[in-house]
């Protein structure tokens, strides 16, 4: 009869879960199965009873369409927890869904991806929310590092890697070498800001108010930061700010380009600033290897080419950029000890602000 050591026994029965805790979407990786959950980071709450009505996809469908007593909220703003209790409910829901139908003997071991350069208080809030939701061992990793691991970049080698993770709430720009972040910048310019830019532009130019879901649909359908071979256009419906009545207008890719231009310029300025502060030898590596884009923002039409034109370096888009961070958390779970030095285990592990 073969006997197992306690640690090996634990590994067989413990669920290892990676979470990309995003402002727009939260992805969950279950060791041995891959990414099993990809749902919007939205929670619907009944304000009369204080109970959670829906979470994820079902809750997002309620955005802008709820009665007065039901509030659909995003518990994470710009990559950090803005509503602790709601975030805890959401993580608990995701953990239970990920482990449903399986025997639970040990609390799951969890790796959570967070934006770079977040504060000690924000780190503690993420860890506490995960533990209160039922997680046992909790590890924190910065999202650009997790994205680099998910893209299989050689982060342990003495080679410069530049990763730009454009998510829903923040964009993380990081230069990585020898398992450490050499230079980094966190910008509050990402998918949600792009949606807000479109809403503001349409309001100012057409005197029509769009909903957030409509703005996001416009962005993903005809949004482009470079001129397209053939003009793109689509009809959208909103509220006429003059009459207060519904109104339909036609938006083109040129309208969206004008709307996004200031934010895209700020994003490129941030990339250039990080490159300017990077040591010359590492900069040489990046010029040879190129820059890697991850996150939903990498899918904006023309953005990789525009960045490449400004920095004169090759720009590569990750295969399935939306899941790069979640895949990275999964790889870390395969061998936590190997990646121990890149994990934020306590406040003293936080890198200095750059």
């Amino acid at each position: 009869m073969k006997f197992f050591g306690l640690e090996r026994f634990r590994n067989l029965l413990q669920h290892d879960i990676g979470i990309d805790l995003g402002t727009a979407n939260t992805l969950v990786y279950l060791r041995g199965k891959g990414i099993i959950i990809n749902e919007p980071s939205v929670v619907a709450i009944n304000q009369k009873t204080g109970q959670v009505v829906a979470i994820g996809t079902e809750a997002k469908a309620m955005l802008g369409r709820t009665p007065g007593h039901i509030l659909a909220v995003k518990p994470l703003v710009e990559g950090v927890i803005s509503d602790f209790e709601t975030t805890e409910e959401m993580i608990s829901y995701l953990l239970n869904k990920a482990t449903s139908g399986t025997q639970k003997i040990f609390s799951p071991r969890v790796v959570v991806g967070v934006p770079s350069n977040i504060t000690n208080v924000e780190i503690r809030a993420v860890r506490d929310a995960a533990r209160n939701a039922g997680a046992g061992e909790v590890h924190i990793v910065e999202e650009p590092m997790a994205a680099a691991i998910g893209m299989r970049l050689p982060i342990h080698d003495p080679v410069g890697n530049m990763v730009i993770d454009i998510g829903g709430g923040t964009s993380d720009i990081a230069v990585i070498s020898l398992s450490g972040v050499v230079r980094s910048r966190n910008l509050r310019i990402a998918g949600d800001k792009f949606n807000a830019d479109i809403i503001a532009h349409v309001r100012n130019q057409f005197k029509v108010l769009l909903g957030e879901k409509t703005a996001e649909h416009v962005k993903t359908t005809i949004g482009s930061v470079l001129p397209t071979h053939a003009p793109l256009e689509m009809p959208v419906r909103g509220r006429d700010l003059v009459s207060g009545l519904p109104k339909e207008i036609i938006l083109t890719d040129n309208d969206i380009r004008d709307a996004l231009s200031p934010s895209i310029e700020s994003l490129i300025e941030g990339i250039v600033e990080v490159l300017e502060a990077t040591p010359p030898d590492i900069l040489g590596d990046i010029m040879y290897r190129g820059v890697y884009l991850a996150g939903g923002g990498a899918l904006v039409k023309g953005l990789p080419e525009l960045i490449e034109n400004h920095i004169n370096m090759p720009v590569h888009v990750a295969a399935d950029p939306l899941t790069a961070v979640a895949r990275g958390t999964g790889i870390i779970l395969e061998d936590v000890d190997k990646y121990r030095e890149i994990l934020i285990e306590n406040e003293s592990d936080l890198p200095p602000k750059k």
Side-chain angles (χ1 to χ4, degrees), residues 60-65 199 210-218:
K60 185 176 182 180
M62 298 179 181
L63 279 174
R65 295 187 173 94
I199 292 171
L210 300 182
E212 185 179 345
K213 289 179 68 176
T214 301
E216 184 175 358
H217 182 56
V218 169

Side-chain angles (χ1 to χ4, degrees), residues 223-227 253 256-257 260-261 264 300-304 306:
S224 175
V225 297
L226 286 176
D253 60 303
I256 309 308
R257 197 155 39 251
L260 300 183
S261 179
I264 295 298
V300 174
K301 297 180 186 71
L303 184 56
L306 184 64

